Amino acid sequence: MHFLQPQLPQLTAPVVVSNSEVESAARCDFQHQLGYRERWTKGPFNPQSAAGQGIAWHEVLEVHYRTIQDFQQAAEAKGLPWWSFDQDACVKEARRRIQPLIDRFVAMSEDLGQLISWMYAGHLGHWGVDPDWRIIDVERAGQVPLSPPSASEVPSLFRGSQTSAHLDFEFKYRADLIIEERGKLWLVDHKSVGNFPNQLDLDFDPQIDRYTWALRQEGVPIYGQLFSQARRKMLKRPQTLEERHRRPRTYRTDAELDSIANDLFQVIYARYEHQTRLERYSIHPETAPRDAPRQPSARHCSFLCDFTEACLAGRKGNDSRHYLVELGLTQNFTRH
């Protein structure tokens, strides 16, 4: 039996990792190997899926808050306070800018367009143009060295064992929104949800904590985190705006964020250290590629992995990579 040998891009420091990659590495070694080392990727996903709805919702809110920022900055350019902008005119302009997005969503799927239109109407009805928020940054992207204290305690994976790993990795982020409220900066995370998460879910949501750590590394004094949540379930009965939208908050001390950064580094270091050892073995077409361990979980494998069927096929002794090709996945090295 001949096995498909995947292409492997050369690893050089620094390896840039995202929150999605770290979550994959923490969830299952084999999922990370396929998705982030070998870069197997599905085609365009279903726009009506939860992920598709979430992306559409983020697009709408990006335009919404950029419009508010434009109006606030225009007021300041006239020598007026930022909060003195014409709110009615701002709402009108935001709707004008967002309508082409809604039209595009309708063309993709009438259900998606109706859902996003309903969600945005509720957002405007409940929050308006957030007159108490000064918009500081929208969709801010950045990249910081992933070098907490634990990085100096282990050898580099890519530059020789005589040096530490503090330059091996960088962490990239994309923050939805940064606002100033009553003199403090808040990191806002837009969420479209089926049901509102409880406080424990928020306390253990690593993404916004990691982004807060990264922003503080860049000198942005984020005070706390705010989850702007919108339900994406349209029920048959009328729903109040309070049932559809809410904004819980969390706060992290510097000590907490340092622990979070140490955990982040150790997860990704362990995954790449193990992967580099796997790849030292010689590979032949008659030999299956050496797979990282699988960590099966009914919930994760069913809902959070694109490789479930190929994983099961490989566990039975078949060729997982041929199976991925048959399912329409390809190795895509242009993304990260």
Side-chain angles (χ1 to χ4, degrees):
M1 180 177 180
H2 285 254
F3 290 86
L4 175 64
Q5 303 301 325
Q7 300 180 59
L8 294 174
Q10 183 177 359
L11 286 174
T12 56
V15 175
V16 180
V17 300
S18 64
N19 181 73
S20 296
E21 177 171 1
V22 177
E23 289 188 348
S24 176
R27 187 179 302 128
C28 175
D29 290 358
F30 189 47
Q31 182 189 35
H32 178 270
Q33 179 183 2
L34 293 178
Y36 289 93
R37 183 67 184 109
E38 299 181 15
R39 306 291 180 86
W40 291 98
T41 309
K42 294 179 69 174
F45 52 76
N46 181 0
Q48 295 189 64
S49 67
Q53 293 167 0
I55 289 174
W57 183 234
H58 275 75
E59 284 190 59
V60 165
L61 292 187
E62 178 181 357
V63 173
H64 175 78
Y65 284 104
R66 287 195 189 281
T67 304
I68 298 172
Q69 186 180 46
D70 289 345
F71 272 71
Q72 292 178 351
Q73 291 176 346
E76 290 181 304
K78 297 176 181 178
L80 302 172
W82 63 266
W83 42 261
S84 65
F85 67 97
D86 187 330
Q87 295 182 36
D88 291 336
C90 185
V91 169
K92 183 177 180 180
E93 177 62 14
R95 284 177 169 152
R96 187 191 69 80
R97 295 182 184 183
I98 287 169
Q99 189 57 50
L101 291 179
I102 302 295
D103 293 341
R104 176 161 61 85
F105 299 149
V106 169
M108 296 167 61
S109 161
E110 187 172 349
D111 289 343
L112 176 65
Q114 290 179 350
L115 173 65
I116 298 301
S117 180
W118 174 78
M119 291 171 66
Y120 185 58
H123 185 92
L124 279 178
H126 200 43
W127 308 117
V129 290
D130 288 294
D132 295 330
W133 286 4
R134 184 179 188 181
I135 309 303
I136 303 300
D137 217 335
V138 182
E139 293 294 326
R140 177 189 174 110
Q143 191 169 301
V144 298
L146 184 52
S147 56
S150 55
S152 62
E153 300 170 357
V154 292
S156 171
L157 297 177
F158 315 112
R159 295 173 294 108
S161 59
Q162 301 304 310
T163 55
S164 69
H166 73 284
L167 296 177
D168 281 4
F169 300 99
E170 293 188 354
F171 179 69
K172 69 175 182 178
Y173 70 88
R174 191 176 185 89
D176 293 341
L177 182 65
I178 300 173
I179 60 109
E180 179 185 339
E181 183 187 64
R182 299 181 179 88
K184 293 183 172 64
L185 295 186
W186 292 82
L187 177 58
V188 180
D189 186 33
H190 304 314
K191 291 290 188 186
S192 62
V193 298
N195 294 299
F196 291 139
N198 59 38
Q199 188 60 44
L200 187 63
D201 293 329
L202 301 182
D203 287 337
F204 285 97
D205 185 331
Q207 180 178 13
I208 197 167
D209 293 335
R210 292 165 180 164
Y211 287 5
T212 298
W213 171 80
L215 285 161
R216 288 190 188 177
Q217 294 300 299
E218 293 184 326
V220 182
I222 298 296
Y223 176 77
Q225 302 98 342
L226 190 154
F227 297 85
S228 185
Q229 300 166 345
R231 284 188 188 271
R232 58 173 183 266
K233 284 187 177 180
M234 300 175 66
L235 303 182
K236 292 182 178 180
R237 68 167 177 82
Q239 295 168 270
T240 67
L241 293 178
E242 288 76 14
E243 290 180 290
R244 293 167 52 191
H245 299 271
R246 72 169 192 174
R247 287 177 171 172
R249 305 183 186 220
T250 57
Y251 171 80
R252 299 287 176 259
T253 65
D254 286 336
E256 283 182 284
L257 292 176
D258 288 343
S259 295
I260 288 164
N262 267 306
D263 291 344
L264 191 162
F265 170 80
Q266 291 180 51
V267 166
I268 208 68
Y269 180 88
R271 177 76 276 281
Y272 274 91
E273 193 275 335
H274 185 214
Q275 188 64 38
T276 54
R277 282 192 283 115
L278 287 178
E279 293 172 16
R280 292 193 186 110
Y281 295 94
S282 60
I283 300 297
H284 302 284
E286 296 80 10
T287 305
R290 289 186 176 268
D291 292 342
R294 296 163 171 82
Q295 285 96 14
S297 161
R299 177 179 180 273
H300 291 160
C301 297
S302 298
F303 300 105
L304 299 173
C305 185
D306 293 333
F307 315 120
T308 303
E309 293 172 305
C311 174
L312 292 175
R315 196 171 69 175
K316 295 174 182 177
N318 298 310
D319 185 346
S320 293
R321 280 75 180 177
H322 271 308
Y323 210 93
L324 290 172
V325 172
E326 290 295 323
L327 292 172
L329 280 79
T330 59
Q331 287 189 272
N332 180 359
F333 302 109
T334 61
R335 58 98 180 166
H336 193 281

